[in-house]
Amino acid sequence: MRARLALIGALALAGCGGEIPDEAAPTEGAALIPATQPMGPGLYAVGDGTTVYARTRLSADGTYTDMTEAGETVGGGSWSSREDVICFDPEGDGEDQQERCWRNEAPDEDGSFRSLQVDGEGEYRVMPLEE
């Protein structure tokens, strides 16, 4: 569970620092991806469309906090975004704490959107939440 939350945290869950990795460059077929990032400071539910795995708060200072549904902090780190790529760098240097970048699709009518890990390793459904 902690590894899954660390992965989710890497989603929202920064610091791509400098250049966007080559694998994060826009590709053909990326027409569904908006010109600007649908994520910014705020609270998000992260899951698979039917189950919420965690809630992630993105702060304006470039940090994020991952929480359980009950509000218990389970992780965090820093985040940054550029156009259609958002990157998360969890605190620490453990195996599940490497920076990961995600490409988010355009939001659906309900505001939720699909987030795909740039290297193709993961996919989540993200829903902005009212605070």
Side-chain angles (χ1 to χ4, degrees), residues 24-104:
T27 60
E28 259 186 72
L32 297 177
I33 298 170
T36 57
Q37 182 58 248
M39 291 183 84
L43 183 63
Y44 299 88
V46 180
D48 63 12
T50 59
T51 303
V52 173
Y53 300 132
R55 293 178 183 219
T56 299
R57 181 181 312 284
L58 302 183
S59 299
D61 67 358
T63 61
Y64 72 90
T65 304
D66 290 330
M67 300 166 283
T68 65
E69 291 251 7
E72 175 188 349
T73 298
V74 294
S78 59
W79 69 276
S80 67
S81 68
R82 282 180 215 78
E83 297 181 4
D84 69 339
V85 177
I86 187 164
C87 298
F88 296 87
D89 189 4
E91 292 175 346
D93 296 320
E95 184 176 321
D96 290 329
Q97 295 171 315
Q98 293 82 30
E99 176 184 83
R100 290 180 175 91
C101 295
W102 300 78
R103 187 170 283 118
N104 297 326

